[in-house]
């Protein structure tokens, strides 16, 4: 544990005054730790990483990280990141977003970044709510659950971010949780090393806002719920549909090969310069 | 084909193409855009020609994303630009505000069409003049340039790219449908005749670097991603290191910096073109395509021995205040001609403070204002 903390500290900005904006018991710090350990394990230099985020609780992550960091406008992280990646393809671009930021206001950029297959690693922290603004229902608030703007229960269906990414053309789609931290680190490592658009959805507990509104108990209770309801995709193959009914899948859900956008654009440059015949 | 013709030769060029060529001449590395009439030719030209120079062109999913990608690319070191028209300009506003706040060099070309809303996609207008100044929320100062000929489309796009890099700020080029689609005979400058300005880079070691340093120039050196400086950029009001702040002093310092970097450099930024002004007792104030009709109207008036001159601000924002205060004292009358219901005329009146007569002539029916109309108005109000 002490060793792990030392690794984390090496990647934090010392000039930035802690504590962070996150509530006690929040899951975002766990995800942050997993990302840092993934970067450390992959031996990527801090200068090689650009961390880009939008607006919301999870999007406050980059300011604490000692990388090239860009905290953008609400929902637009992927569009800013597209500019960063295309202008400097040698950077590892990691986008930190949430369910509201990435799938509601930023939904269009999400599907088009996946379709374009630009080499961006997207970590989507799904806490089922708009936590920073106090708990309004999001595109990932489950049917019948509560938000401050759904005081009588949510009557909208929720997105499955992984299905959405897969359907939009992402080449790597995975889901982890804030309970399964070692698995999460491995998934982030795989996503960073994947050429093309990759998504890791993190089922992230929010006990202060979403948990209270829905009487889900403490952070520990919410993480225990994750433990009891997450099924790895390998284990799921041996389970009956009956048993899987109230479960969700974790692990690498989708992994295919397709040419990455920036690499393809290099070919466009060669064609335009007449180095390759059309 | 066009490429084979040397630049010093006479060309028949469209305003939109001249704008795109100006951007290339100023060292454009990155363009992100979304199709919209009447600006699309800029994107089409750059899609074909930018990669020849190793630059990157991307068609984004909308104008919001286009402006975002431009900012991202600029922070990663590219000279970046987008081009659009009214509805797209409206969509870009939030991220243009981000570029003001985060002090990101970027150029936004707005080939104006009639509005509000979808308005008149193929008709001329100058009704985004105030939006170029106050389009996004918050306090900030804007640099906006307005060409009136194909050659000026080239020159002012070069200048916009240079000012963006020099002052670490978005710069708007306000063209209009007539200008964008008009073809004119032009001679373009040779590459060695074009002054290209690059952004000021830091020389201090990374541990001393402040991305938003407050210094006597009001412009901070700008590191880029991937070169060891590892700074934070945010749209939240921030301290010199780029970290969000809620301290009154740091908030005020930041907003003062945004204002001062423009206000303390107006002499460098503001350009006004004068014609027939030596002996003029009255003047027409016009910019963009309206200035073309005004010029012809002045020639007609001069034949009738009316001593009228043309004041054509290349810099719409910052407004040439000092110059216009001086002109208000010198002239008997200033006629402001605009293709809108009267936008920049309010600035002329503000700086005039009642010193001379200000008259206005406006057209906003989608048609270009004619020299005859201006000439008759001039005779009526002089």
């Amino acid at each position: 544990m002490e060793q792990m903390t030392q690794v984390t500290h090496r990647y934090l900005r010392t000039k930035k005054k802690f504590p962070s904006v996150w509530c006690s018991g929040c899951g975002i710090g766990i995800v942050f730790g997993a990302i840092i350990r993934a970067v450390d394990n992959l031996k990527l230099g801090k200068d090689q990483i650009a961390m880009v985020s939008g607006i919301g609780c999870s999007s406050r992550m980059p300011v604490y990280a000692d990388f090239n960091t860009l905290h953008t406008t609400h929902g637009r992280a992927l569009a800013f990141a597209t500019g960063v990646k295309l202008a400097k393809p040698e950077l590892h671009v990691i986008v930190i977003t949430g369910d509201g930021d990435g799938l509601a206001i930023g939904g269009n950029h999400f599907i088009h970044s996946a379709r374009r297959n630009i080499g961006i690693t997207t970590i989507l922290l799904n806490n089922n709510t708009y936590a920073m603004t106090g708990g309004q229902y999001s595109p990932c608030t489950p049917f019948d659950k509560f938000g401050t703007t759904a005081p009588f229960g949510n009557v909208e269906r929720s997105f499955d971010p992984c299905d959405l990414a897969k359907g939009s053309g992402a080449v790597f789609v995975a889901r982890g949780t804030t309970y399964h931290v070692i698995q999460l680190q491995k998934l982030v490592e795989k996503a960073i090393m994947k050429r093309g658009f990759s998504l890791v959805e993190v089922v992230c507990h929010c006990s202060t806002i979403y948990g209270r509104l829905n009487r889900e108990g403490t952070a520990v209770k919410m993480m225990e719920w994750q433990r009891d309801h997450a099924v790895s995709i390998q284990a799921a193959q041996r389970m009956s549909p009956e048993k899987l009914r109230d479960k969700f899948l974790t692990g690498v859900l989708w992994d295919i090969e397709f040419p990455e956008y920036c690499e393809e654009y290099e070919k466009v440059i060669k064609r335009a310069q007449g180095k390759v015949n059309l | 084909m066009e490429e084979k013709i040397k630049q010093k030769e006479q060309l028949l060029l469209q305003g939109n193409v001249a704008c795109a060529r100006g951007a290339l001449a100023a060292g454009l590395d990155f363009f992100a855009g979304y199709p919209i009439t009447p600006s699309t030719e800029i994107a089409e030209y750059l899609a074909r020609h930018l990669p020849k120079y190793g630059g990157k062109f991307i068609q984004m999913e909308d104008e919001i994303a286009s402006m975002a990608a431009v900012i991202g690319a600029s922070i990663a070191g590219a000279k970046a630009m987008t081009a659009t028209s009214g509805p797209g300009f409206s969509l870009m506003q939030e991220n243009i505000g981000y570029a003001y706040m985060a002090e990101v060099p970027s150029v936004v070309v707005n080939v104006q069409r009639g509005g509000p809303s979808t308005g008149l996609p193929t008709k001329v207008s100058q009704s985004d003049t105030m939006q170029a100044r106050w389009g996004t929320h918050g306090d900030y100062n804007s640099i906006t340039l307005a060409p009136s000929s194909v050659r000026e489309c080239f020159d002012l796009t070069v200048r916009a790219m240079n000012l963006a890099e020099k002052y670490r700020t978005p710069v708007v080029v306000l063209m209009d449908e007539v200008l964008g689609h008009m073809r004119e005979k032009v001679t373009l400058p040779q590459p060695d005749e074009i002054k290209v300005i690059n952004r000021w880079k830091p020389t201090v070691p990374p541990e001393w670097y402040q991305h938003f340093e407050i210094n006597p120039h009001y412009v901070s050196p700008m590191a880029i991603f991937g070169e060891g400086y590892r700074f934070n950029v945010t749209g939240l009001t921030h301290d010199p290191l780029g970290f969000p702040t809620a301290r009154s002093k740091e908030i005020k310092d930041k907003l003062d910096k945004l204002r001062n970097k423009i206000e303390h450099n107006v002499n460098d930024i503001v350009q006004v073109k004068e014609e027939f002004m030596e002996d003029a007792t009255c003047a027409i104030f016009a910019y963009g395509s309206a200035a073309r009709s005004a010029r012809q109207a002045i020639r007609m008036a001069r034949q009738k021995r009316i001593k009228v001159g043309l004041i054509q601000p290349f810099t719409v924002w910052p407004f040439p205040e000092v110059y216009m205060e001086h002109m208000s004292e010198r002239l008997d009358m200033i006629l402001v001609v605009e293709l809108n219901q009267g936008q920049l005329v309010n600035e002329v009146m503000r700086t005039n403070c009642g010193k001379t007569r200000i008259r206005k002539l406006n057209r906003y029916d989608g048609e270009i204002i004619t020299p005859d109309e201006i000439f008759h108005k001039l005779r009526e109000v002089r």
Side-chain angles (χ1 to χ4, degrees):
Chain A
M1 187 64 200
E2 200 178 305
Q3 268 180 328
M4 241 156 78
T5 311
Q6 276 172 4
V7 169
T8 312
H9 284 187
R10 281 213 304 277
Y11 290 86
L12 296 181
R13 281 197 167 119
T14 48
K15 280 179 191 165
K16 174 69 201 166
K17 292 152 218 84
F18 276 81
S20 69
V21 295
W22 300 315
C23 310
S24 54
C26 177
I28 298 169
I30 297 171
V31 185
F32 190 19
I35 294 169
I36 285 175
R37 289 190 296 279
V39 167
D40 189 67
N41 204 30
L42 292 171
K43 304 208 164 21
L44 305 173
K46 292 176 181 176
D47 292 331
Q48 284 174 269
I49 297 187
M51 193 181 248
V52 186
S53 70
I55 295 292
C57 289
S58 55
S59 292
R60 281 302 192 96
M61 188 188 294
V63 74
Y64 306 112
D66 190 16
F67 302 132
N68 305 286
T69 56
L70 182 55
H71 176 227
T72 72
T73 46
H74 196 19
R76 318 299 173 200
L78 278 165
F80 280 78
T82 297
V84 173
K85 181 70 184 177
L86 186 52
K88 236 177 176 167
E90 64 269 29
L91 291 173
H92 289 278
V93 180
I94 302 173
V95 164
I96 308 295
T97 184
D99 46 317
D101 184 61
L103 299 181
I105 189 166
N108 200 27
H109 312 307
F110 183 84
I111 59 173
H112 285 280
S113 304
R115 176 185 61 78
R116 208 173 270 133
N117 197 30
I118 186 158
I120 294 171
T121 307
T122 303
I123 316 287
L124 188 145
L125 288 84
N126 182 356
N127 60 5
N128 313 104
T129 190
Y130 288 91
M132 186 160 268
T133 45
Q136 297 74 31
Y137 73 93
S138 85
C140 288
T141 302
F143 190 81
D144 268 354
K145 293 284 186 180
F146 295 92
T148 56
T149 46
F152 307 107
N154 177 26
V155 292
E156 295 181 17
R157 281 186 296 176
S158 64
F159 263 139
D160 179 328
C162 292
D163 280 352
L164 184 63
K166 188 180 151 189
S168 308
V171 291
F172 181 91
V173 178
R175 185 186 285 121
T177 79
T178 43
Y179 178 83
H180 304 86
V181 281
I182 306 294
Q183 181 201 37
L184 181 59
Q185 179 192 330
K186 297 290 168 215
L187 293 175
V188 172
E189 283 177 24
K190 282 182 184 158
I192 291 173
M193 295 322 287
K194 184 74 186 180
R195 292 154 90 111
F197 184 87
S198 57
L199 171 77
V200 180
E201 181 200 347
V202 188
V203 177
C204 180
H205 63 277
C206 165
S207 54
T208 307
I209 304 285
Y210 181 79
R212 272 190 202 160
L213 279 166
N214 287 284
R215 299 177 192 281
E216 305 226 341
T218 61
V220 175
K221 276 264 175 339
M222 291 182 80
M223 289 170 81
E224 283 170 355
W225 180 90
Q226 292 176 4
R227 178 195 64 197
D228 298 338
H229 291 80
V231 176
S232 80
I233 186 150
Q234 290 84 1
Q237 281 162 358
R238 300 187 297 272
M239 288 167 71
S240 66
E242 190 85 324
K243 276 193 168 169
L244 282 171
R245 211 173 43 199
D246 64 339
K247 304 286 193 289
F248 64 91
L249 298 180
T250 59
V252 179
L253 308 180
W254 183 248
D255 188 0
I256 59 164
E257 297 299 324
F258 195 80
E260 194 270 330
Y261 176 83
C262 297
E263 290 171 21
E264 289 305 296
Y265 198 85
E266 289 303 321
K267 294 179 191 167
V268 168
I269 290 174
K270 288 209 170 69
R271 282 178 215 151
Q273 291 175 341
K275 290 176 185 161
V276 179
N277 289 327
L278 280 173
Chain B
M1 186 60 202
E2 245 163 16
E3 292 314 287
K4 288 177 186 162
I5 305 165
K6 287 218 180 85
Q7 287 205 327
K8 67 179 172 184
E9 287 171 20
Q10 284 189 339
L11 302 169
L12 184 66
L13 280 190
Q14 195 190 46
N16 280 341
V17 170
C19 166
R21 289 180 74 145
L24 287 174
L28 184 74
D29 298 305
F30 186 94
F31 181 95
Y34 187 80
I36 186 168
T37 304
S39 78
T40 312
E41 291 84 1
I42 298 173
E44 287 176 337
Y45 187 89
L46 290 172
R48 183 168 286 278
H49 296 278
L50 186 52
K52 287 184 187 170
Y53 303 91
K56 315 276 175 75
F57 168 93
I58 187 168
Q59 184 170 305
M60 295 298 287
E61 50 271 21
D62 56 29
E63 287 90 348
I64 300 170
S66 303
M67 190 62 208
V70 161
I71 295 168
S74 184
I75 291 171
K79 282 191 177 182
M81 176 177 111
T82 185
T84 188
S85 186
F89 194 52
S90 293
L91 282 173
M92 285 177 186
Q93 288 302 335
E94 189 194 10
N95 285 337
I96 292 175
Y98 185 94
Y100 282 121
M101 182 56 116
E103 303 185 51
V104 184
S106 43
V107 173
V108 181
V109 180
N110 176 1
V111 188
Q112 296 170 96
R113 62 196 231 184
S117 190
T118 314
L120 300 160
T122 58
K123 296 274 193 183
V124 70
S125 169
Q126 294 181 308
S127 51
D128 300 347
T129 306
M130 293 312 286
Q131 195 189 11
R133 174 65 187 87
W134 296 113
T136 194
H137 57 279
D139 275 333
Y140 56 94
N141 279 49
S142 152
I143 300 179
T144 300
L145 311 179
S148 77
S149 69
V150 169
R151 172 66 197 254
E152 286 171 12
C153 287
F154 181 94
D155 291 341
L156 292 191
T157 306
V158 171
R159 186 147 197 269
M161 300 277 294
N162 285 342
L163 289 173
E165 295 287 318
K166 187 172 183 182
Y167 293 110
R168 267 186 73 173
T169 185
V171 175
V172 177
V173 180
L174 268 189
M175 290 170 52
D176 58 54
E177 188 277 333
V178 162
L179 216 43
H181 284 160
M182 176 180 68
R183 284 179 169 80
E184 218 173 14
K185 188 174 73 177
V186 280
T187 312
L188 296 181
Q190 291 291 302
D192 59 1
E193 294 166 349
I194 298 166
K195 191 183 167 205
V196 173
I197 298 175
N198 295 314
R199 66 188 70 166
W200 182 19
K201 292 211 152 203
T203 49
V204 296
E207 58 273 23
W208 295 2
Y209 178 66
Q210 297 189 330
H211 193 61
F212 301 99
E213 173 192 274
I214 290 174
N215 61 30
H217 311 283
Y218 302 105
V219 182
S220 324
M222 183 174 171
I224 60 173
F225 275 8
E227 292 191 340
Y229 285 89
R230 296 201 303 276
F231 49 91
N232 185 56
V233 181
T234 176
L236 286 164
T237 307
H238 44 261
D239 64 16
L241 285 169
F243 294 136
T245 184
R247 294 195 178 113
S248 303
K249 185 181 181 303
E250 286 175 347
I251 295 166
K252 186 169 182 299
D253 283 351
K254 174 73 200 186
L255 295 178
D256 282 343
K257 185 187 178 209
L258 292 186
R259 186 183 59 197
N260 288 339
K261 73 175 172 183
I262 308 297
E263 285 193 357
H264 282 251
N265 293 297
V266 281
N267 290 340
D268 180 49
I269 299 166
V270 169
Q271 279 187 346
V272 180
K273 183 178 170 186
E274 290 184 344
E275 281 179 53
F276 309 104
M277 283 300 290
E278 297 78 20
D279 61 341
T281 54
C282 61
I284 297 176
F285 179 99
Y287 55 99
S289 59
R292 304 174 67 85
S293 306
R295 189 172 295 117
Q296 183 58 26
I298 288 164
R299 288 194 193 109
M300 291 156 76
R302 284 277 169 177
Q303 282 179 357
K304 302 279 181 206
R305 296 173 194 276
I306 301 172
K307 286 186 174 177
V308 58
L310 176 67
I311 299 171
Q312 185 201 335
F314 282 151
T315 325
V316 175
W317 307 112
F319 186 75
E321 285 192 18
V322 177
Y323 173 85
M324 287 308 290
E325 279 166 14
H326 171 69
M327 282 298 152
S328 301
E329 279 162 16
R330 185 188 131 185
L331 299 167
D332 297 336
M333 190 278 303
I334 300 171
L335 174 63
V336 182
V337 180
E338 291 180 277
L339 296 173
N340 54 41
Q341 292 185 333
Q343 296 196 8
L344 214 53
V345 66
N346 295 322
E347 288 295 302
V348 178
M349 285 176 169
R350 181 176 67 81
T351 48
N352 179 48
C353 295
K355 287 195 282 270
T356 187
R357 285 181 302 136
I358 308 293
R359 295 292 177 266
K360 60 179 182 177
L361 178 61
N362 300 91
R363 189 161 181 178
Y364 41 86
D365 59 357
E367 297 300 327
I368 185 78
I369 204 156
T370 64
D372 272 343
E373 283 174 79
I374 301 174
F375 176 61
H376 287 301
K377 183 75 179 181
L378 189 66
R379 288 231 284 204
E380 183 190 314
V381 298
R382 138 180 103 95

